[in-house]
Amino acid sequence: FQIVEFGPRPSNAVLNGQSSTRLFAIYNGAQVNFEGLVFKSGSTGESKGGCIYVYGSNVTFTSSSFESCTSNAYGGGIFAQDAIVNMKSTTLTSCSATHVGGGIWIDGTTKLKLESSTFSSCYAGYYGGGIGAAAFNGTGERGVDLVSTSMTNCSAAYGGDMFVDGDTTVTC
């Protein structure tokens, strides 16, 4: 496996996809740590993960932010499947997905832990304006752990702040 670390950078370095590209795709057992970065305007013509796509990997975000990230279907800010995603002191603002998980969409056996993080004005067309979590793919442990995390002005047709389906466990 591989461990990659990004940051910290002075004054939060901005990674800007200019609404035309996904910023990172992380696969197959990688361990990646991001600290003090701004992920901005990531967008994908594909259906998953406007700024970040994670599959089968372990990713940590610390003191970072996601701004105006968009997806044509799942996970405007982040899409994660069969992964571990940890976020501490991280914000997601104005991220959107046309279908589910405006801020974050998790699927399969993903474990998502949010600590002292904030979702603001995230939107999904159908499910989970802030967070969408489901067990459509894979079997095994999956869950969302929320510690001192807030969601404001997030919206969706179902579950403005959060939508949970399947065998997903949520702990607050």
Side-chain angles (χ1 to χ4, degrees), residues 32-97:
V32 182
N33 300 313
F34 295 101
E35 184 176 349
L37 297 175
V38 177
F39 302 93
K40 184 174 183 176
S41 299
S43 182
T44 180
E46 297 176 30
S47 63
K48 300 174 181 175
C51 273
I52 309 280
Y53 178 95
V54 181
Y55 179 82
S57 297
N58 185 332
V59 181
T60 299
F61 300 92
T62 305
S63 301
S64 295
S65 65
F66 290 79
E67 301 172 4
S68 303
C69 300
T70 61
S71 169
N72 285 340
Y74 307 97
I78 299 170
F79 172 89
Q81 182 174 338
D82 302 330
I84 297 171
V85 178
N86 295 297
M87 302 179 93
K88 183 172 184 180
S89 303
T90 294
T91 62
L92 287 93
T93 305
S94 300
C95 294
S96 63

Side-chain angles (χ1 to χ4, degrees), residues 124-156:
Y126 298 107
Y127 303 103
I131 299 170
F136 297 138
N137 298 292
T139 59
E141 286 189 52
R142 68 191 104 248
V144 178
D145 187 8
L146 302 171
V147 179
S148 300
T149 293
S150 65
M151 296 184 192
T152 57
N153 298 320
C154 294
S155 61

